[in-house]
């Protein structure tokens, strides 16, 4: 098997915590370089920018963009123009329309563009999808609450326009929701809480539905301390299904059905290697569309300033 030589662009917390180990663990993938203004990895070629990487760096086949979403479109375009396959961390961009030219570029160049949703690769997500496929669903509730100071320490970009605020983790829940439900859903109402000193929400309440009127509610909050909550509860005609731990644990009426260790990012890189072998694209923008609609429909309230 020919190794897919990958450069990570943007070497922050998520790249260090997840991407490096996942690449090392996936057959057919190898980490060949780092491009980051502020961090490097001993033993690997390092460049300050993606432009420097593409001009002076080793001959890589692909780039994994782990930079803030506000700068990703330009970086992805540069990589595709240079003939590289491109993986986009979530969210894939700061808006829906900006992805269309990238999809077209990738198709014309016969290169992979992979918009990733790592939570869909959590071990209980596929079993949940299969179980729900044969049931009548009565309602769904998402409770996705975490401490921003733990998961995004000092990351000011998340509070700027395009940073998504609480929807940065919340979009993970929406990516799972849109994977496990048998029909598409859409946002019908939203309440967004903006800190007085921020341009993105710190909490949000969403109401969604499908074409048949399925009731879906979601609560997102960046202010939760102590135990963190990443849960989706689905009421059906054959009992309550609960996905917890961000999709790592599935239970029916409290009985564990599926549970496994976290290998989400390994799943992403296995998929990336598979796509790059043929230059195929995988760009599902459904979760991002739901977030965009929440901003369009959302009633805004101003809450106390956020101090990191």
């Amino acid at each position: 098997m020919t190794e897919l030589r990958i450069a990570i662009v943007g070497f922050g917390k998520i790249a260090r915590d997840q991407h490096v180990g996942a690449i090392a663990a996936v057959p057919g993938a190898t980490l060949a370089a780092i491009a980051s203004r502020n961090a490097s990895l001993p033993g690997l070629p390092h460049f300050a920018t993606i432009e420097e990487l593409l001009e002076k760096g080793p001959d890589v086949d692909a780039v994994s963009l782990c930079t803030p979403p506000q700068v990703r479109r330009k970086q992805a375009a540069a990589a595709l123009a240079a003939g590289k396959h491109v993986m986009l961390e979530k969210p894939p961009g700061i808006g829906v329309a900006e992805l269309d030219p990238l999809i077209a570029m990738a198709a014309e160049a016969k290169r992979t563009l992979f918009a990733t949703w790592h939570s869909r690769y959590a071990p209980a997500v596929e079993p949940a999808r299969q179980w729900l496929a044969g049931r009548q669903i009565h309602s769904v509730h998402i409770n996705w609450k975490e401490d921003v100071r733990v998961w995004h320490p000092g990351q000011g970009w998340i509070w700027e326009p395009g940073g998504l605020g609480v929807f940065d983790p919340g979009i993970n829940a929406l990516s799972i929701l849109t994977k496990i439900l048998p029909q598409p859903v859409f946002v019908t109402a939203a309440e967004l809480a903006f800190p007085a000193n921020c341009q993105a929400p710190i909490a949000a309440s969403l109401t969604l539905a499908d074409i048949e009127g399925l009731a879906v509610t979601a609560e997102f909050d960046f202010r939760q301390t102590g135990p963190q909550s990443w849960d989706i509860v689905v009421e059906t005609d054959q009992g309550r299904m609960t996905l917890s731990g961000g999709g790592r644990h599935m239970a029916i009426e409290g009985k564990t059905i599926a549970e496994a260790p976290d290998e989400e990012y390994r799943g992403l890189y296995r998929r990336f290697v598979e796509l790059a072998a043929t230059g195929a694209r995988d760009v599902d923008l459904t979760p991002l569309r739901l977030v965009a609609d929440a901003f369009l429909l959302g009633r805004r309230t101003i809450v106390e300033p956020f101090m990191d």
Side-chain angles (χ1 to χ4, degrees), residues 195-216:
N197 60 337
C198 296
Q199 299 298 313
I202 198 167
S205 299
L206 269 58
T207 303
L208 306 97
D210 68 10
I211 198 68
E212 296 181 356
L214 173 67
V216 181

Side-chain angles (χ1 to χ4, degrees), residues 103-221:
I103 295 170
M105 281 187 69
E108 184 173 352
K110 296 182 173 57
R111 290 295 181 268
T112 291
L113 183 65
F114 182 25
T116 64
W117 304 108
H118 66 82
S119 291
R120 287 182 173 177
Y121 290 78
V125 171
E126 179 57 21
R129 186 196 66 78
Q130 294 179 14
W131 190 84
L132 288 173
R135 275 78 183 177
Q136 181 179 352
I137 303 172
H138 297 317
S139 66
V140 183
H141 180 66
I142 297 170
N143 190 54
W144 216 264
K145 300 177 180 180
E146 63 181 54
D147 188 345
V148 66
R149 292 181 174 89
V150 171
W151 299 100
H152 294 279
Q155 295 179 11
W157 60 265
I158 207 166
W159 302 112
E160 296 299 326
L164 295 192
V166 75
F167 285 109
D168 182 82
I171 206 169
N172 293 334
L174 296 174
S175 74
I176 294 175
L177 179 75
T178 53
K179 179 71 172 180
I180 65 175
L181 291 185
Q183 294 198 71
V185 294
F186 48 89
V187 179
T188 60
E191 300 283 341
L192 310 178
F194 282 72
N197 60 337
C198 296
Q199 299 298 313
I202 198 167
S205 299
L206 269 58
T207 303
L208 306 97
D210 68 10
I211 198 68
E212 296 181 356
L214 173 67
V216 181
T217 55
E219 297 291 334
F220 304 137
D221 205 317

Side-chain angles (χ1 to χ4, degrees), residues 18-306:
Q18 298 289 353
H19 288 257
V20 172
I23 293 171
V26 170
T30 186
L31 182 57
I34 301 291
S36 174
R37 293 187 184 279
N38 302 312
S40 60
L41 193 63
L44 283 180
H46 172 259
F47 305 90
T49 66
I50 188 171
E51 290 80 11
E52 185 182 357
L53 165 72
L54 295 172
E55 180 183 353
K56 302 177 181 179
D59 187 16
V60 299
D61 308 299
V63 298
S64 181
L65 298 183
C66 302
T67 47
Q70 291 95 331
V71 299
R72 241 179 256 153
R73 177 192 55 77
K74 183 178 178 181
Q75 293 174 335
L80 289 169
K84 312 303 180 185
H85 303 291
V86 175
M87 174 190 279
L88 301 170
E89 246 290 3
K90 62 87 193 169
I94 59 172
V96 180
E98 74 171 5
L99 276 300
D100 292 336
L102 297 180
I103 295 170
M105 281 187 69
E108 184 173 352
K110 296 182 173 57
R111 290 295 181 268
T112 291
L113 183 65
F114 182 25
T116 64
W117 304 108
H118 66 82
S119 291
R120 287 182 173 177
Y121 290 78
V125 171
E126 179 57 21
R129 186 196 66 78
Q130 294 179 14
W131 190 84
L132 288 173
R135 275 78 183 177
Q136 181 179 352
I137 303 172
H138 297 317
S139 66
V140 183
H141 180 66
I142 297 170
N143 190 54
W144 216 264
K145 300 177 180 180
E146 63 181 54
D147 188 345
V148 66
R149 292 181 174 89
V150 171
W151 299 100
H152 294 279
Q155 295 179 11
W157 60 265
I158 207 166
W159 302 112
E160 296 299 326
L164 295 192
V166 75
F167 285 109
D168 182 82
I171 206 169
N172 293 334
L174 296 174
S175 74
I176 294 175
L177 179 75
T178 53
K179 179 71 172 180
I180 65 175
L181 291 185
Q183 294 198 71
V185 294
F186 48 89
V187 179
T188 60
E191 300 283 341
L192 310 178
F194 282 72
N197 60 337
C198 296
Q199 299 298 313
I202 198 167
S205 299
L206 269 58
T207 303
L208 306 97
D210 68 10
I211 198 68
E212 296 181 356
L214 173 67
V216 181
T217 55
E219 297 291 334
F220 304 137
D221 205 317
F222 247 162
R223 299 167 294 191
Q224 179 150 304
T225 57
Q228 309 286 273
S229 303
W230 301 297
D231 307 317
I232 301 176
V233 179
V234 185
E235 300 287 353
T236 79
D237 61 337
Q238 297 182 39
R240 171 181 292 178
M241 187 207 74
T242 303
L243 273 177
S244 57
R248 298 187 186 111
H249 180 269
M250 172 188 172
I252 306 298
E253 292 294 331
K255 180 181 178 180
T256 297
I257 302 299
E259 186 172 32
D262 173 19
E263 291 191 356
E264 296 173 13
Y265 280 84
R266 295 187 187 189
L268 290 183
Y269 278 99
R270 283 191 288 268
R271 177 64 172 154
F272 193 31
V273 169
E274 175 186 291
L275 291 167
T278 61
R281 268 101 20 226
D282 185 349
V283 187
D284 178 12
L285 301 181
T286 306
L288 186 61
R289 288 193 183 99
L290 293 177
V291 171
D293 285 351
F295 277 98
L296 278 172
L297 293 170
R299 295 172 59 91
R300 301 188 178 205
T301 58
I302 302 301
V303 297
E304 64 274 12
F306 173 78

